[in-house]
Amino acid sequence: MKVPPMMLKALIGVLAVGACVRIAAVAPNAVAAQAAGPAQAVPAAPGTVAQAPGRGRGPQPVDPRVQIRMHHFAETNQDIPYSLFVSSKVKKNKKAPLIVTLHGIGGTHTTMMRPNAIDLAEAGGYILLAPMGYNPRGWYGAPPPRGRRGAPPAPPVDPARGALPPGLLSDPNDPPNLRELSERETLEVVDLIRKEFKVDDDRTYLMGHSMGGAGTLYLAIKYPQRWAAAAALAPAAFAVDREGLSKIPKMPIMLVHGDMDTVVPVTVGRAWAEAMKSIPMKDYTYIEVPGGDHGTVIGSHQAEVFAFFAKHSR
């Protein structure tokens, strides 16, 4: 069948636009990978499903300054990865500050190892540790959100991507004690680093995004003796008991939340901020980001988080 010239021209135009969109979607990661140098193999944790990078989910291009390590988790007889960055300012005979950073749901041990975080850790002389938390949806022990009759809620929709992939929020193959395993594996990795390096217990900090933000608040309340301060970015702390803050009124806490967050509504961050005010917490900071969405707050306020940590020690 002969295609009219005008129709053929339109068809070529559509194909060209589609190609450009695909190239644009791939290009940022390709550029990032090129800038980061030779790619490192990123080991998968138990129950990991493939996710596209960015917006708080999935693996990130691995910066060559980051060490990708494995440790044996004896409780499940599995080897689980974690990421580590050690500033060139860290010395064997001097105590070094440690920041533990927790990824969001569907993320991995590389998700929070963003270049700006690594730059700040280098400048501040920090050890930056990113545990897996056993698998991408362990919640670090924090109670996850629940829907009707105790079932997991329906998968939310990310406006930029549509419905979230199956297996992101729950997986039938997950062990029944997943939350406990996630909590224990996280603390086990922290203790491994404390044994390997001369960590300053008075300058050990905890931060996290989304699920990791919920984990941050949960672990800060449960193990206050471990942390000098904590920072939660867009915390998905729907089911974490805010009354628990009354147990740690002296712990400095920072909260960052975008007012355009469609995954974890800003009302969650505001409720935690109000709870900190009403206790009252001795030292807390709440930053609401105008126009900020769920993922961008990971990178947009790293400098403020690091500055907050630098002001506090136990």
Side-chain angles (χ1 to χ4, degrees):
M1 181 180 71
K2 186 176 180 180
V3 179
M6 290 301 293
M7 185 178 295
L8 180 61
K9 183 176 180 180
L11 178 60
I12 292 172
V14 170
L15 293 173
V17 170
C20 289
V21 170
R22 288 192 295 272
I23 291 169
V26 173
N29 290 333
V31 171
Q34 185 178 18
Q40 299 183 48
V42 181
T48 302
V49 291
Q51 299 294 332
R55 297 187 62 87
R57 298 204 305 274
Q60 298 296 309
V62 182
D63 189 296
R65 296 172 291 178
V66 174
Q67 302 175 41
I68 305 297
R69 294 181 168 193
M70 301 288 289
H71 80 106
H72 187 73
F73 188 45
E75 189 158 347
T76 59
N77 194 30
Q78 292 170 299
D79 293 327
I80 299 177
Y82 65 94
S83 293
L84 181 72
F85 168 75
V86 181
S87 169
S88 63
K89 297 179 181 180
V90 173
K91 307 300 179 185
K92 287 184 178 180
N93 60 349
K94 185 179 178 181
K95 289 183 178 180
L98 168 67
I99 296 175
V100 180
T101 181
L102 309 179
H103 64 79
I105 197 162
T108 75
H109 54 294
T110 68
T111 299
M112 298 296 283
M113 285 293 192
R114 309 296 174 102
N116 61 342
I118 296 167
D119 291 341
L120 290 162
E122 170 59 29
Y126 290 94
I127 299 169
L128 185 62
L129 170 65
M132 184 67 221
Y134 184 73
N135 83 6
R137 55 195 165 272
W139 289 89
Y140 310 99
R146 309 303 296 179
R148 285 184 173 180
R149 299 172 183 168
V157 173
D158 183 333
R161 296 181 177 183
L164 300 185
L168 182 68
L169 300 181
S170 62
D171 189 302
N173 296 316
D174 283 339
N177 62 336
L178 173 61
R179 288 176 48 247
E180 290 81 4
L181 292 175
S182 181
E183 179 178 334
R184 292 171 195 161
E185 194 269 331
T186 298
L187 297 177
E188 183 173 302
V189 174
V190 174
D191 288 340
L192 283 174
I193 298 306
R194 293 178 69 253
K195 290 176 183 177
E196 180 178 352
F197 296 92
K198 195 170 184 178
V199 171
D200 190 341
D201 292 337
D202 291 333
R203 292 187 297 158
T204 296
Y205 308 97
L206 182 63
M207 67 178 291
H209 170 252
S210 193
M211 177 185 77
T216 292
L217 294 168
Y218 168 80
L219 294 173
I221 292 168
K222 187 170 182 179
Y223 304 100
Q225 72 280 4
R226 283 181 169 266
W227 323 109
L233 313 175
F238 300 95
V240 181
D241 184 10
R242 294 192 295 273
E243 295 300 318
L245 290 171
S246 62
K247 300 176 183 177
I248 54 168
K250 295 182 180 180
M251 181 179 291
I253 294 182
M254 171 178 276
L255 274 135
V256 181
H257 215 126
D259 66 1
M260 298 298 288
D261 193 330
T262 58
V263 179
V264 179
V266 70
T267 51
V268 176
R270 290 173 182 170
W272 277 87
E274 185 59 34
M276 291 189 291
K277 179 181 178 180
S278 63
I279 283 176
M281 302 288 288
K282 182 179 179 181
D283 190 343
Y284 72 93
T285 299
Y286 175 62
I287 299 175
E288 191 165 301
V289 185
D293 64 20
H294 191 62
T296 55
V297 295
I298 299 175
S300 66
H301 283 72
Q302 287 286 334
E304 287 84 351
V305 170
F306 274 76
F308 183 77
F309 288 163
K311 291 193 303 181
H312 297 100
S313 62
R314 248 184 355 183

